[in-house]
Amino acid sequence: MKTCPTCNRTYTDASLNFCLEDGTPLTVKVPGSATPGFDPHATIRYTEPRDTKAPTSGPPPSIPPVPQVAPPVVPQVSQSQPQPQPVLPQPPPQPQPVLPQPAPRKSNALWWILGGLVILGIIAAVVVIVILALASMGPHPNANSNRTNSNLRTPNTNSSPNANVSPNANANLPTLLSDDFSEKKWGTGNYAFGDIWYADGQYHMRSKAKTYLVMYAPSSAYDTRDATISVTARSVDGTPAASGFGLIVHGEKSKSGQLEDYALLIYTGEESKYEIVKHKADVQTEIVPWTASKVIRKGTNTNQLEVRTKGSELSFYINGQFVNRITDTENFKGGIAGLYTSDTVEIAFDDLEIKR
């Protein structure tokens, strides 16, 4: 073990020869020898560092006195304890108002679709109303004024306000109904397709040019089921009606307001003839085409027209003479009596009777 004679530090490394603190040559410490006490406050003398370049001969350089080093003054830090801060009471949390959430906006496309459907529905309703109105206005123009060609006639509708009379099948009907037209029971007026009025105790009808006009009886008392129906008719000035005039049986308007009936028509020109027609859904159809008959009176002479109904069988008479018979395939037997005329000829009807 080696010691520094200057600072008394000991070293165990045998290879060290100088003190690592002050450079003093170390001395070998003999075991058991006293080691001078170490004074940490003693003045420490630092030896002059050797000048390895200086000549080895000559007197050693003088060593300046080692200054006294005072111990460092450690400043005293006042460690004052922090004063506790007063704890203030916290106010209770205020409830936040709940604002209503705006409703989600609906897609504009949905509104366009709904609007389009509403518009289409309105248009469809208007079209249906127009069609029904046209169907109930009255007869339509005849496609041909040829008096002998009945195949070119267009559907006929009734312009009378009394045409939509539905007879009661269970009514207690009289065995005889007589109407001499002395009382104004039937409909009258100036219509788009003809004129109807009372004059001289008779019922007068005149259609517009190239059209024809139908008028149904005013009540269900004129029911023609299982009955004999007759009426007298004449041309006031002797001119024959272009498409005939005559008597209607089983007349009734359907639920959609369209004509349903059978009619016996006569033409009082030079070639007198008769025709039996059917109206259904406002369409006039020939049952028996125009057929020449010598029993028909011409000019202003009065002709009596008669139809006898029994079940589905209809028999037709002119001036008391049987002319033809048909079967009611449409089951129109619940209808009432009616009158028919065509073109601009004034026709006078009288003495309507229904015998049951």
Side-chain angles (χ1 to χ4, degrees), residues 59-344:
S62 58
I63 298 173
V66 178
Q68 298 294 323
V69 179
V73 177
V74 180
Q76 298 295 323
V77 179
S78 175
Q79 298 181 355
S80 61
Q81 296 295 330
Q83 295 297 322
Q85 297 296 326
V87 179
L88 298 178
Q90 297 296 326
Q94 297 296 324
Q96 297 296 325
V98 178
L99 299 179
Q101 298 296 324
R105 297 182 59 186
K106 296 184 177 179
S107 173
N108 291 334
L110 178 60
W111 289 108
W112 281 107
I113 294 173
L114 293 177
L117 293 177
V118 171
I119 293 174
L120 289 177
I122 293 174
I123 293 174
V126 170
V127 170
V128 172
I129 292 173
V130 170
I131 292 174
L132 294 177
L134 292 176
S136 62
M137 285 179 61
H140 304 292
N142 194 350
N144 194 309
S145 61
N146 186 348
R147 302 183 184 192
T148 62
N149 190 348
S150 62
N151 294 324
L152 297 178
R153 285 191 251 182
T154 55
N156 177 41
T157 57
N158 195 318
S159 61
S160 168
N162 296 312
N164 195 22
V165 177
S166 179
N168 185 354
N170 298 322
N172 187 14
L173 301 174
T175 57
L176 174 63
L177 182 147
S178 180
D179 188 351
D180 60 2
F181 298 101
S182 59
E183 296 182 20
K184 296 181 179 180
K185 301 177 182 179
W186 293 57
T188 60
N190 303 112
Y191 304 105
F193 298 98
D195 305 317
I196 305 174
W197 70 99
Y198 280 87
D200 302 324
Q202 296 176 325
Y203 192 64
H204 291 248
M205 295 177 63
R206 179 176 53 219
S207 177
K208 300 292 184 180
K210 299 182 181 181
T211 67
Y212 48 86
L213 187 64
V214 168
M215 174 62 74
Y216 285 167
S219 72
S220 61
Y222 293 78
D223 193 306
T224 59
R225 172 178 24 202
D226 295 328
T228 298
I229 309 96
S230 64
V231 69
T232 61
R234 66 183 178 90
S235 171
V236 175
D237 63 1
T239 303
S243 297
F245 59 89
L247 175 64
I248 289 175
V249 296
H250 296 345
E252 185 176 12
K253 278 198 171 183
S254 65
K255 293 181 180 179
S256 58
Q258 297 174 320
L259 297 180
E260 295 180 346
D261 60 58
Y262 292 100
L264 170 62
L265 309 178
I266 61 173
Y267 175 73
T268 58
E270 289 300 323
E271 297 179 359
S272 58
K273 52 195 171 183
Y274 72 91
E275 179 187 33
I276 300 174
V277 299
K278 174 184 70 176
H279 292 120
K280 183 178 181 180
D282 283 347
V283 176
Q284 179 169 298
T285 305
E286 276 187 346
I287 304 300
V288 176
W290 285 109
T291 303
S293 176
K294 294 181 179 180
V295 301
I296 298 174
R297 299 165 185 159
K298 304 174 184 178
T300 59
N301 293 311
T302 298
N303 286 275
Q304 184 187 53
L305 308 178
E306 181 180 313
V307 182
R308 300 176 184 178
T309 66
K310 186 176 182 181
S312 61
E313 184 178 273
L314 285 75
S315 300
F316 299 88
Y317 297 79
I318 301 175
N319 295 320
Q321 299 293 318
F322 171 80
V323 293
N324 219 314
R325 180 180 291 110
I326 66 170
T327 300
D328 176 15
T329 58
E330 301 293 344
N331 195 28
F332 288 164
K333 60 184 179 181
I336 57 177
L339 303 173
Y340 178 108
T341 190
S342 62
D343 210 30
T344 59

